Amino acid sequence: MSSAVTENRRTARTFCRLCNAACGAVITLEGERVVEVRGDRQHPISQGYLCPKGRAIGAHHHHPGRLDRPLLGRDGGRVPVPWNEMLDDLAGAIGSTIAKTGPQAFGMYKGTAHTVESAAAGAGAAMLAQLGSRQWYTSLTVDCPALCLVAELVAGHPWLLPVPDRDTRLTVLVGTNPMASHGHTFNIPRPKEWLRSWAREGELWVIDPRRTESADVATMHLAPRPGTDYLLMAYLVRELLRDGADHAYLERHATGVGALAAAVEPFTLERAADGTGIPTDQIVRLLRKIRETGRVSMVTGTGLNFSDAANVTLWLAWMVCAVTGSLDRPGGMWFNPGYLTQTHRQTWAPRDGSAGPGPASRPELAQRFGELPCAAVVDEIEAGNLRALLVLGGNPLIAWPQPERVARALRKLDVLAVVDVIDNGVTALATHVLPAAAQLERADIPTGAELYALQSFSQYTGRVVSPGAERRPTWWILGQLAGRLGLDVPGGPDPDAGTEEALLQALYGSDHARWQALRDTENAVVTEERPYDWVHGKMPDQRLRLAPELLVRELATMRETERGGLTLINRRQLRKNNSTLADGQGLARAARPETMLHPQDALEHGIADGDAIVISSAYGELRTRARIDERAIRGTVSAPHGFVEANAAALISSDEVDPATGMPIMTGVPVTVVRA
Ligand SMILES: Nc1nc2c(c(=O)[nH]1)N[C@H]1C(S)=C(S)[C@@H](COP(=O)(O)OP(=O)(O)OC[C@H]3O[C@@H](n4cnc5c(=O)[nH]c(N)nc54)[C@H](O)[C@@H]3O)O[C@H]1N2
Ligand SMILES: Nc1nc2c(c(=O)[nH]1)N[C@H]1C(S)=C(S)[C@@H](COP(=O)(O)OP(=O)(O)OC[C@H]3O[C@@H](n4cnc5c(=O)[nH]c(N)nc54)[C@H](O)[C@@H]3O)O[C@H]1N2
Ligand code: SF4
Ligand SMILES: [Mo]
């Protein structure tokens, strides 16, 4: 990078959209070229923090694989075409697919990167709804449908996911490693500072089968066998209901206390210790600590959501908070109403967890939260039901199970249209490649971060640079396509910045003051108002439902997993976000596809550090490198996700899913490991 000061050097304030933490960034440009990226010290939340991914925003923007122009045609036949020709062709192909096979032949997959394309919010789903297609798939269904199901069953709304309260004195991180991920359904920039302060002001416990970077700063680390956390949670709820519950709170704000007590009655200390492998004294110490503190914050992550016990574990983790009166109250877990969404001011009819029918080829799967599970897409394609798919900011080759089968199915589609920023394995299979404006080329507000931050905040960023080459913002692409299909979505014909602004402003409805407050500040607006005790008010009789039948039934039929052998667990890496930056572009040190094994397990299998290994499950193989590391507990194999080569998705299956949510089981999977 050049440090020369030239006439056209300028800086711009923005926020990073590579994950949901939305850290403030200051970008220095020479002309249209990013020459420096720094953390924004004046940002009230991130306070100058930027992780290595954030520091690579410029490299991502100038990536040699950036998509510059629309590409039409598969494989060797790919040719650049003007936008008009691309959109006419795509709309024509979608239209004739629907004319031939009906609206269910056209579907969309929305990945994590589309979630932050805020000016396009809702357009894709609206298009399908107008066409009468139910084929709407999102990465939520391979991420946390269990948590949303629990929220809906207990609190009546699938997006009401609590975050640790600022003043928590006992924080328990279960199956999440914010030091790498910056949180799962909670977003924290500066994770080390937050974790340290929770440990200093009270206690921080980490429950994870791996000794994570978060465990390093914790008061205590408990290492359960993968998939067994529900035994611990059930025991805690059982004992807290005997001694330690906030009965006044339960009387006022809960129904189903008796049914909950009956459901957890069989879960004794012996069963919890034997099943989880956590020593009895550590479990008792946690119970004692919860009683002593009175309130607790149980912060969950993918380690629970990916397991075959996800629904009951997440429910019981909520119940530890509910019975201690910690939900929706200071010192426990806070429901952020959102600066934009203002959930606490809205009225809604509480939902009860009822589901729509699954897709034709997988009728046993349910449609929840208006979405069909990703686990069904490939079956839908193989059955010939789904023939045209539009991918928005996602990577099905790493996100869905069985990548080879996914690739074959994507190839079989009549139309595979992909809106992405970088040429990758998915665009290579596409019939229509639509080059999107990336984060520095768009105005945005952090819609994804809105409800799951530790503060109520919002921010606005304008475009740092104009979209380069022939790239277009996704809202424009969808608006153009919708127009050609005779549909109506916000967007319109104009790709300029003014239209983008108007789309964002529309999200604030008639609240012009709120929008103006955002526009008037250079970074985030933080609201000091912290409403508590508002979620109960949304429920019939002001009561949370503690014992939903579906979950009680599931708990009663849980069988402890078999012991022995090696078990796969999942892990995020600091230096990439899923597949984004997995190639290490612009990073001083790239994330590596290494699988962690405990030294003793490695020794028993004749594996040395750095060896090429083959990990096999009942469904497939993963060829990768071994890292011998004491952080992995005995019996676990910790594989990162997001690499197209060395793809952990090869070890899981679309058939091995949670029956209620369709979520593929991705942790606690039995595997074997040999040297390659
Ligand atoms: N740097 C970076 N940040 C990211 C991402 C990324 O790829 N890289 N991805 C983003 C996305 S899409 C998501 S969903 C979030 C995920 O965010 P997190 O859920 O925090 O993801 P991880 O950091 O992998 O933490 C999951 C932890 O669960 C543990 N675990 C596995 N099985 C079990 C189990 O059975 N019980 C318990 N108690 N623990 C278990 C694993 O060892 C691991 O430490 O991160 C987001 N942020
Ligand atoms: N085996 C296994 N499978 C998993 C997981 C696991 O841990 N193990 N994790 C699961 C989870 S939690 C998730 S969320 C999914 C992840 O699923 P996805 O969201 O499908 O995966 P990503 O790699 O995040 O895909 C993001 C894509 O968006 C592109 N992109 C980046 N910026 C932009 C932009 O500004 N605009 C547009 N339009 N595109 C952009 C990137 O180039 C990339 O191709 O995978 C799930 N699958
Ligand atoms: S933590 Fe997330 S938002 Fe912050 S710099 Fe890193 S990738 Fe960007
Ligand atoms: Mo995710």
Side-chain angles (χ1 to χ4, degrees):
M1 279 188 203
S2 151
S3 60
V5 179
T6 63
E7 265 176 20
N8 59 356
R9 200 175 167 107
R10 66 187 170 98
T11 59
R13 282 211 148 78
T14 185
F15 65 92
C16 174
R17 284 148 276 174
L18 284 170
C19 87
N20 279 331
C23 301
V26 181
I27 314 277
T28 306
L29 299 119
E30 277 175 16
E32 297 289 278
R33 186 134 203 108
V34 177
V35 293
E36 198 192 1
V37 180
R38 282 182 288 118
D40 182 356
R41 282 176 201 280
Q42 289 168 37
H43 193 278
I45 297 172
S46 57
Q47 299 176 11
Y49 174 84
L50 269 192
C51 83
K53 295 182 293 301
R55 294 197 293 271
I57 292 176
H60 190 238
H61 178 69
H62 297 297
H63 195 290
R66 269 308 289 274
L67 292 166
D68 283 339
R69 41 194 57 83
L71 299 170
L72 189 60
R74 252 184 184 136
D75 301 320
R78 266 190 5 173
V79 287
V81 292
W83 271 107
N84 265 340
E85 191 179 330
M86 164 58 74
L87 292 159
D88 288 345
D89 191 89
L90 180 55
I94 293 170
S96 66
T97 303
I98 292 175
K100 250 190 286 169
T101 325
Q104 306 314 323
F106 175 47
M108 296 188 197
Y109 169 60
K110 173 185 128 174
T112 47
H114 184 60
T115 312
V116 289
E117 295 184 317
S118 47
M127 285 170 71
L128 289 183
Q130 287 170 39
L131 286 166
S133 168
R134 301 169 67 238
Q135 305 271 18
W136 173 244
Y137 300 89
T138 84
S139 49
L140 176 101
T141 64
V142 282
D143 176 332
C144 61
L147 187 55
C148 299
L149 176 63
V150 166
E152 182 169 329
L153 289 169
V154 174
H157 201 298
W159 318 136
L160 277 183
L161 313 177
V163 299
D165 186 60
R166 187 177 40 187
D167 299 322
T168 165
R169 291 291 172 271
L170 176 57
T171 313
V172 186
L173 304 178
V174 205
T176 179
N177 180 23
M179 288 289 281
S181 69
H182 300 84
H184 181 216
T185 47
F186 63 108
N187 310 319
I188 45 173
R190 302 184 287 123
K192 198 189 247 172
E193 279 175 56
W194 274 105
L195 265 50
R196 286 223 161 114
S197 89
W198 286 333
R200 196 177 51 238
E201 308 285 325
E203 288 195 6
L204 172 72
W205 290 55
V206 169
I207 305 180
D208 196 305
R210 188 169 71 89
R211 188 160 54 76
T212 58
E213 298 78 359
S214 303
D216 287 345
V217 296
T219 320
M220 272 293 285
H221 171 219
L222 310 184
R225 284 191 193 98
T228 63
D229 304 75
Y230 76 97
L231 295 164
L232 169 66
M233 297 298 159
Y235 167 71
L236 292 174
V237 175
R238 177 188 194 255
E239 294 307 310
L240 288 166
L241 280 169
R242 293 195 167 138
D243 172 15
D246 184 337
H247 291 288
Y249 171 89
L250 291 177
E251 228 156 80
R252 231 185 19 254
H253 287 314
T255 60
V257 180
L260 175 65
V264 295
E265 187 51 31
F267 295 88
T268 59
L269 178 60
E270 294 64 42
R271 197 166 160 197
D274 185 54
T276 60
I278 302 171
T280 310
D281 61 309
Q282 293 183 4
I283 297 177
V284 171
R285 200 173 139 193
L286 176 58
L287 174 64
R288 211 182 307 131
K289 188 67 206 171
I290 297 174
R291 283 180 175 147
E292 192 185 297
T293 315
R295 287 194 186 159
V296 54
S297 171
M298 281 276 170
V299 190
T300 60
T302 50
L304 300 187
N305 282 278
F306 288 2
S307 96
D308 66 354
N311 305 331
V312 293
T313 315
L314 289 156
W315 166 48
L316 293 168
W318 268 53
M319 289 306 106
V320 171
C321 300
V323 301
T324 49
S326 307
L327 273 184
D328 201 12
R329 294 172 88 198
M333 301 212 71
W334 181 56
F335 290 90
N336 187 339
Y339 177 89
L340 170 65
T341 8
Q342 298 278 305
T343 329
H344 62 319
R345 299 216 165 86
Q346 290 176 21
T347 46
W348 70 75
R351 301 186 218 181
D352 62 0
S354 50
S361 63
R362 296 289 298 271
E364 81 284 10
L365 299 179
Q367 181 195 36
R368 289 190 185 280
F369 332 120
E371 310 190 354
L372 290 172
C374 287
V377 186
V378 169
D379 294 277
E380 281 292 276
I381 298 171
E382 288 173 352
N385 301 336
L386 186 64
R387 290 159 186 254
L389 180 69
L390 175 60
V391 174
L392 302 167
N395 184 337
L397 289 174
I398 60 107
W400 306 344
Q402 299 162 297
E404 284 181 16
R405 189 175 160 218
V406 172
R408 277 197 304 276
L410 295 182
R411 216 169 242 295
K412 193 176 167 227
L413 286 164
D414 296 336
V415 180
L416 173 62
V418 181
V419 182
D420 206 300
V421 297
I422 296 198
D423 211 7
N424 61 22
V426 184
T427 50
L429 299 173
T431 55
H432 299 75
V433 177
L434 306 137
Q439 55 171 312
L440 296 182
E441 299 165 321
R442 319 191 286 263
D444 266 319
I445 52 169
T447 43
E450 171 68 14
L451 296 174
Y452 311 119
L454 305 186
Q455 284 124 304
S456 172
F457 85 105
S458 192
Q459 56 191 325
Y460 162 85
T461 175
R463 293 176 179 180
V464 170
V465 294
S466 304
E470 291 297 314
R471 301 167 201 145
R472 293 287 184 272
T474 300
W475 60 262
W476 180 86
I477 299 173
L478 293 178
Q480 288 288 315
L481 198 57
R484 283 168 170 80
L485 289 166
L487 310 171
D488 181 26
V489 300
D494 193 353
D496 82 357
T499 312
E500 193 162 87
E501 296 258 314
L503 287 168
L504 293 176
Q505 180 172 4
L507 297 175
Y508 290 81
S510 58
D511 197 345
H512 303 300
R514 199 165 277 276
W515 172 250
Q516 204 47 51
L518 269 189
R519 299 304 317 278
D520 286 348
T521 176
E522 286 220 278
N523 37 47
V525 183
V526 176
T527 326
E528 287 312 322
E529 186 201 7
R530 277 182 92 72
Y532 294 99
D533 266 328
W534 62 272
V535 171
H536 323 113
K538 304 284 176 193
M539 296 295 294
D541 306 325
Q542 314 245 321
R543 279 158 205 277
L544 301 174
R545 302 171 289 218
L546 300 198
E549 216 183 289
L550 186 152
L551 300 170
V552 170
R553 214 180 322 121
E554 208 176 296
L555 182 64
T557 53
M558 287 300 296
R559 292 285 159 268
E560 267 116 272
T561 44
E562 278 178 37
R563 311 274 169 83
L566 295 172
T567 306
L568 174 77
I569 56 176
N570 61 293
R571 143 170 136 255
R572 250 64 191 167
Q573 292 170 302
L574 180 63
R575 290 180 167 73
K576 63 180 186 54
N577 194 355
N578 304 326
S579 67
T580 295
L581 303 178
D583 61 3
Q585 186 69 34
L587 287 141
R589 214 148 39 90
R592 287 202 298 241
E594 293 169 333
T595 290
M596 281 185 195
L597 285 170
H598 187 272
Q600 196 61 35
D601 288 327
L603 193 70
E604 280 174 18
H605 289 79
I607 294 166
D609 197 42
D611 273 357
I613 54 172
V614 184
I615 308 174
S616 309
S617 72
Y619 316 108
E621 281 188 356
L622 163 64
R623 287 173 177 272
T624 181
R625 298 241 160 232
R627 190 165 114 207
I628 314 302
D629 197 321
E630 286 189 332
R631 286 177 174 279
I633 63 159
R634 287 229 45 196
T636 62
V637 171
S638 166
H641 125 105
F643 296 99
V644 174
E645 314 286 318
N647 193 339
L651 296 171
I652 58 174
S653 160
S654 294
D655 294 323
E656 198 68 25
V657 301
D658 182 278
T661 60
M663 172 79 193
I665 313 304
M666 310 206 279
T667 186
V669 178
V671 290
T672 58
V673 180
V674 294
R675 219 165 49 168

